Amino acid sequence: MVRPSAEQELFLLERAREGDRKATRQLYDCYVSLLTATCSRYLSDVSEVRDVLQDAFIKIFSSLDRFEFRGEGSLKAWMRQITVNEALKRLRSRKRSPFVEMPERIPEPAGEEEPDVARVPASALQEMVRRLPEGYRTVLNLYAFEKKSHREIAELLGITENTSASQLHRARAFLSREINEYLKNRSDI
Amino acid sequence: MKKDWLDRLAESLENYGEPAPDGLWESVESSLPLRSRKFGFLAWTGVAAAAAAVLLGVFLWTRRDAAEPDTQPYVAEVAAPVSAPAPAPVPAEEVPERVPDAVTAAIPSVRSVPAPASVPVSLPVQEAEPSSSEEAVPVESAVPQEVPAEAASAQETDAPADEAEIAENIRAWNDYLAASASEDEGGQLVPDGAGVSLAQGLNGAASAGLFDPSEFFSGFSPEGSLAPQSGDIQSITRSAIEQAYTVTTTEQHLRPVRVGMSVRWHLTDVFGLETGLVYSRLQSRFRSISGTTVTLDDQRLHYLGLPLHLTVELARGRRFSLYADAGPMVEKCIAGTVKNTVSVSGIQASATTSRRQEIRPLQWSVGAGAGLEVALTNRIGLYAEPGFSYHFDDGTQVRTVYKEHPADFTFTTGLRFNFRR
């Protein structure tokens, strides 16, 4: 789906706020694939992804009046923020925490080979992120994609900053190994 | 400064998209509230119309409850033709041909029953058949009523009778009473049956004073004892006369129980078309009292209806939907029974009988209502819908709540399957 320009987006937004269902549908079509991918990076279960997306879109379209348009990309960022919040809410509702508390700061693992991300297709990268253990994945998503600090991550997830850092550390090591493995296999072919 | 490879990873996936789960939009749309400003006026109009329909329904409901049960006292009709009877072996009673207007006035609850100007006498009295309007109730006759031919054949006249005629009437009546007392030795007469022919005569247009009406009816006291002397006759009250010769029918139509299974196509975000099947059970009770005899008919009819309603969604939440709808419905009576029980003096006289009640014509109606639907799944919802409907006459003589209260409050509940574009 081709993303609309800022003017087009504003027009659709106004119509959707008036209850125009076609405009609402167009906004949905513009962002549903992006938000599905975002949600899928947090949740591995397909039915959970669907439920969270449904809740997120209902929240988005029910609160369009409260959104303040601040130019291109602002609507996308706002929609993504709501979707991520809904995904985190789902994760927090689980009885067992996926995060292993780390009492001490763990140093950067020695010898982490920096992967050449540019040579890996997006779909493969997405799949590798999804294969990460849930605790690693969540922290990595918030750190890398939402640009949150460890303090913010710790507040969002109810963990310590050390735990956030250690989870990210392990996620990096896990992911870099995966990417390098992928590239190695590709070069062998 | 060299970028962290995690930043490059995020950039690679910045605009990455994946196919949306199937049916996601439908789920989202069905849960979206209607917040259209353009629809505002229509929505409020719809809400106002729905509220008005419900209020009107409640008004009719309370009005109807105040009127129930429908008590319809009236005199049973005479089935037999007015004619001189065959020679009677033993006269059971003698009927004077003239009754003062005062007697007629003394029975205020008597519903108009066509009455000939002359005194009608039927011999013997048969059990009365229900009238064509089915308002007449069975009137039992335990004792055949026979009237002397000369009394029965007497012609009524508007001209004042002369004294000789009056004296003759009184003499004939007293003679008859004396004869009856000696033969029956206080034998019982069942007033129910006697009323059929005698009551009909109450509408005779004779002038007052020709004959004492108390004397005339005194032979049929509520207890059924025949007065041996004319002096005792005077003690019989007119209320007893009314009781003995008036058949009172009480109708009670219970509000139908309705259960539906409907399918709604959402043509637009607001408007929809709905059909399905609606089952209705109608129950009516007819209670007829004639003296000590009580006849109870319990009628149960089962209808299956096919509605076609235009629906307007007024508000929608994640799990509920408020709507208004209106349209016609055609119903078919698929089964019906009438159970009949007769009791005399509070004791059931015979076993309860049951017969089938058939209604062949289709029952048409129009209705409007406002409903609340709670979503069980994305497509299936449980609804409760108060409303108001008008039922057209189906052309049959069967008395139903649809016929007696064509405009009435309704309440339907059931399951609904929703289909969206």
Side-chain angles (χ1 to χ4, degrees):
Chain A
M1 179 79 189
V2 179
R3 299 268 154 70
S5 65
E7 291 76 22
Q8 288 171 330
E9 201 170 71
L10 192 58
F11 174 75
L12 288 175
L13 194 61
E14 286 302 318
R15 298 290 302 274
R17 281 171 172 161
E18 289 178 357
D20 185 329
R21 201 46 59 84
K22 282 184 181 173
T24 310
R25 176 66 195 255
Q26 280 184 282
L27 285 175
Y28 167 88
D29 287 339
C30 287
Y31 292 105
V32 66
S33 60
L34 176 86
L35 297 182
T36 302
T38 301
C39 198
S40 298
R41 284 199 293 270
Y42 284 85
L43 300 161
S44 53
D45 185 79
V46 177
S47 63
E48 276 192 314
V49 170
R50 192 188 192 287
D51 290 346
V52 167
L53 278 173
Q54 183 178 335
D55 291 345
F57 272 112
I58 291 166
K59 189 164 272 187
I60 288 165
F61 292 132
S62 304
S63 51
L64 284 177
D65 283 339
R66 279 176 269 166
F67 169 68
E68 190 181 342
F69 189 75
R70 292 177 180 175
E72 194 169 352
S74 60
L75 181 62
K76 173 184 156 188
W78 179 70
M79 291 171 96
R80 243 181 69 161
Q81 184 64 50
I82 290 176
T83 306
V84 169
N85 286 345
E86 287 298 314
L88 292 177
K89 200 191 291 180
R90 176 61 64 106
L91 288 171
R92 281 195 296 262
S93 68
R94 291 179 182 163
K95 287 178 182 175
R96 286 188 62 183
S97 171
F99 308 103
V100 180
E101 292 288 341
M102 294 292 171
E104 298 172 5
R105 180 178 287 275
I106 295 176
E108 193 76 9
E112 180 196 273
E113 194 179 342
E114 185 174 307
D116 188 358
V117 176
R119 289 173 55 205
V120 183
S123 57
L125 288 173
Q126 171 85 359
E127 196 52 41
M128 289 174 206
V129 172
R130 291 196 70 191
R131 280 205 301 267
L132 284 170
E134 192 171 284
Y136 301 177
R137 192 172 65 226
T138 308
V139 172
L140 181 125
N141 270 315
L142 290 171
Y143 184 88
F145 294 91
E146 312 307 326
K147 310 298 180 196
K148 302 286 184 190
S149 67
H150 283 302
R151 176 173 295 209
E152 289 172 316
I153 293 169
E155 285 175 5
L156 278 171
L157 302 179
I159 56 177
T160 63
E161 287 183 48
N162 278 350
T163 302
S164 174
S166 70
Q167 298 282 322
L168 181 66
H169 170 79
R170 288 161 190 264
R172 286 178 68 108
F174 192 99
L175 201 54
S176 66
R177 194 167 59 243
E178 285 280 307
I179 294 169
N180 287 326
E181 195 83 11
Y182 174 86
L183 290 172
K184 187 182 173 189
N185 290 339
R186 292 275 295 179
S187 61
D188 289 345
I189 294 172
Chain B
M1 184 181 166
K2 192 182 176 185
K3 268 189 178 178
D4 184 23
W5 67 268
L6 274 184
D7 292 333
R8 293 200 298 278
L9 172 78
E11 283 171 7
S12 296
L13 294 175
E14 174 68 26
N15 293 312
Y16 177 74
E18 286 184 344
D22 289 338
L24 178 62
W25 168 250
E26 286 72 20
S27 303
V28 171
E29 190 192 28
S30 66
S31 302
L32 287 180
L34 293 171
R35 304 181 305 118
S36 170
R37 289 170 195 164
K38 287 180 182 174
F39 181 65
F41 174 74
L42 189 58
W44 283 112
T45 307
V47 169
V54 171
L55 282 175
L56 187 60
V58 171
F59 169 72
L60 289 170
W61 193 13
T62 52
R63 189 164 161 262
R64 186 184 140 197
D65 285 347
E68 282 183 341
D70 300 332
T71 303
Q72 300 177 339
Y74 52 89
V75 179
E77 292 182 49
V78 177
V82 177
S83 59
V90 180
E93 58 184 280
E94 190 173 12
V95 180
E97 67 270 44
R98 294 177 186 177
V99 179
D101 289 336
V103 174
T104 307
I107 306 178
S109 61
V110 170
R111 217 163 77 160
S112 61
V113 173
S118 60
V119 177
V121 179
S122 62
L123 301 173
V125 177
Q126 302 293 325
E127 181 171 326
E129 292 293 324
S131 67
S132 59
S133 65
E134 297 198 9
E135 289 177 345
V137 296
V139 176
E140 296 175 351
S141 177
V143 178
Q145 310 299 311
E146 297 185 359
V147 178
E150 58 272 23
S153 61
Q155 296 297 309
E156 183 185 62
T157 172
D158 289 334
D162 57 27
E163 289 185 0
E165 190 180 353
I166 295 169
E168 176 61 24
N169 280 334
I170 294 172
R171 186 193 59 75
W173 176 243
N174 288 336
D175 287 350
Y176 163 67
L177 290 176
S180 299
S182 62
E183 288 179 14
D184 295 336
E185 292 296 327
Q188 302 294 304
L189 289 180
V190 179
D192 293 7
V196 175
S197 59
L198 296 175
Q200 186 75 0
L202 292 176
N203 287 331
S207 59
L210 289 178
F211 193 85
D212 187 342
S214 300
E215 289 183 3
F216 172 70
F217 289 105
S218 62
F220 305 95
S221 65
E223 293 77 23
S225 60
L226 188 64
Q229 293 180 10
S230 60
D232 294 335
I233 294 171
Q234 305 295 333
S235 63
I236 306 302
T237 62
R238 288 182 177 171
S239 63
I241 297 170
E242 293 173 26
Q243 184 181 349
Y245 302 105
T246 303
V247 179
T248 303
T249 299
T250 304
E251 292 183 23
Q252 189 183 16
H253 300 283
L254 303 183
R255 186 157 280 109
V257 175
R258 282 187 162 183
V259 181
M261 178 88 73
S262 60
V263 181
R264 182 186 292 179
W265 286 274
H266 295 260
L267 304 175
T268 69
D269 298 330
V270 176
F271 296 102
L273 205 57
E274 182 171 304
T275 185
L277 286 175
V278 176
Y279 164 78
S280 304
R281 194 192 75 166
L282 277 62
Q283 187 173 4
S284 302
R285 296 194 186 108
F286 304 93
R287 187 184 176 89
S288 301
I289 303 173
S290 173
T292 56
T293 303
V294 177
T295 305
L296 183 67
D297 282 334
D298 186 7
Q299 175 181 274
R300 294 183 189 203
L301 303 172
H302 305 271
Y303 281 82
L304 210 52
L306 188 72
L308 184 63
H309 283 185
L310 183 68
T311 65
V312 180
E313 198 152 45
L314 305 175
R316 191 197 294 162
R318 282 192 63 187
R319 306 293 295 177
F320 77 92
S321 161
L322 181 68
Y323 62 90
D325 67 347
M329 180 162 82
V330 59
E331 287 175 276
K332 172 68 183 163
C333 180
I334 53 172
T337 55
V338 178
K339 287 184 179 174
N340 176 270
T341 308
V342 178
S343 58
V344 179
S345 300
I347 300 168
Q348 188 168 332
S350 59
T352 299
T353 58
S354 181
R355 66 180 170 83
R356 284 178 61 198
Q357 179 70 281
E358 280 192 1
I359 301 178
R360 292 187 182 280
L362 296 174
Q363 173 70 60
W364 291 89
S365 64
V366 288
L372 181 71
E373 180 179 329
V374 178
L376 300 178
T377 70
N378 286 336
R379 289 201 188 281
I380 303 171
L382 191 66
Y383 70 91
E385 187 181 315
F388 167 79
S389 65
Y390 181 85
H391 288 81
F392 298 96
D393 192 344
D394 64 0
T396 69
Q397 299 298 323
V398 181
R399 299 175 80 91
T400 66
V401 67
Y402 291 161
K403 198 162 284 145
E404 299 306 305
H405 305 281
D408 203 6
F409 180 73
T410 59
F411 185 83
T412 313
T413 185
L415 284 176
R416 177 177 291 119
F417 295 85
N418 293 285
F419 294 95
R420 299 175 192 278
R421 291 173 301 142

